[in-house]
Amino acid sequence: MERVELPLFPLRTVLFPGGVLPLRIFEARYLDMAARCMKAGMPFGVCLIQDGQEVGEAATPHSVGTTARIVSWDMPQQGVLLVTCRGERRFRIDARQTHADRLQSAQVQFLDAADAAPTPIPAGRAGVLPLLKAIVSDAGDELFPPPHAFDDAAWVVRRFAEVLPIPALARQRLLELDDPLQALEIVQTYLRQHQLAS
């Protein structure tokens, strides 16, 4: 397993690989982190908060998160940084430390190979696709940047997980699942229960 060290940004949201995350950054520790990441062209880690808050003392994050890469930024006023990030790869925290400025970093191992092949969608699960295609078409490329991978079960699950009205903890559970077909079954069951898909 590939291991790296990442700065962490615990949030009240779940970021998925391929997802878009707009952030308004104003705390000094995260402004410094964002500046370092942009300068080095490096990602940081986004994890759902398990205990604590987004601001103030260091929060305890869930152990599985996603690397985020800043793709655009703006500073409309001094001390406020607006960034747009793209989710890249899932990781699991092996060890975590909090620094003097309350920024956390972690030794992580990636859960997916960088060149992982797509997982084809079985015919019995294809009933979820018309709804997702309509959502992506209506929302546009800003929320769902191409390439679109409607033939990849992991991509389909992640896009549904971003838009379905489910609790953050349910999104976290979908992020943690290693089997995209198992996750797709869960999504299809939810859609059928709410009469949204066949």
Side-chain angles (χ1 to χ4, degrees):
M1 282 284 189
E2 185 183 350
R3 285 179 169 80
V4 299
E5 182 162 349
L6 289 174
L8 294 182
F9 201 155
L11 293 168
R12 290 277 176 207
T13 191
V14 179
L15 175 64
F16 290 87
V20 175
L21 177 65
L23 290 173
R24 181 178 182 271
I25 302 173
F26 54 88
E27 281 195 272
R29 56 180 165 169
Y30 295 126
L31 288 169
D32 291 344
M33 179 202 74
R36 289 197 302 271
C37 287
M38 287 190 288
K39 184 176 181 180
M42 298 291 292
F44 57 92
V46 169
C47 296
L48 178 67
I49 290 174
Q50 186 170 357
D51 184 50
Q53 303 297 324
E54 289 185 345
V55 298
E57 293 303 312
T60 302
H62 283 267
S63 61
V64 174
T66 301
T67 58
R69 188 175 300 274
I70 296 171
V71 294
S72 66
W73 66 275
D74 187 25
M75 187 171 276
Q77 64 189 79
Q78 187 66 31
V80 177
L81 181 66
L82 303 179
V83 300
T84 300
C85 306
R86 285 290 302 274
E88 292 188 336
R89 297 175 70 183
R90 295 187 311 143
F91 62 81
R92 185 183 305 280
I93 295 173
D94 282 342
R96 178 172 56 90
Q97 59 179 328
T98 302
H99 304 278
D101 63 357
R102 293 175 295 144
L103 181 71
Q104 299 182 66
S105 63
Q107 292 284 336
V108 308
Q109 59 177 316
F110 289 115
L111 299 177
D112 308 304
D115 56 353
T119 302
I121 294 177
R125 305 270 178 243
V128 305
L129 294 177
L131 175 61
L132 183 60
K133 288 179 179 178
I135 291 170
V136 170
S137 176
D138 288 347
D141 289 350
E142 189 172 335
L143 283 181
F144 296 102
H148 300 148
F150 293 105
D151 57 348
D152 179 15
W155 187 89
V156 167
V157 166
R158 290 162 181 170
R159 302 298 75 83
F160 269 122
E162 290 165 352
V163 299
L164 290 178
I166 57 177
L169 202 53
R171 297 185 211 280
Q172 179 69 23
R173 296 295 171 248
L174 287 171
L175 178 70
E176 292 175 1
L177 282 175
D178 291 324
D179 182 353
L181 294 182
Q182 182 186 0
L184 184 60
E185 180 181 0
I186 292 169
V187 168
Q188 186 178 38
T189 299
Y190 176 93
L191 294 174
R192 283 174 170 169
Q193 287 173 347
H194 293 78
Q195 300 180 329
L196 295 170
S198 58

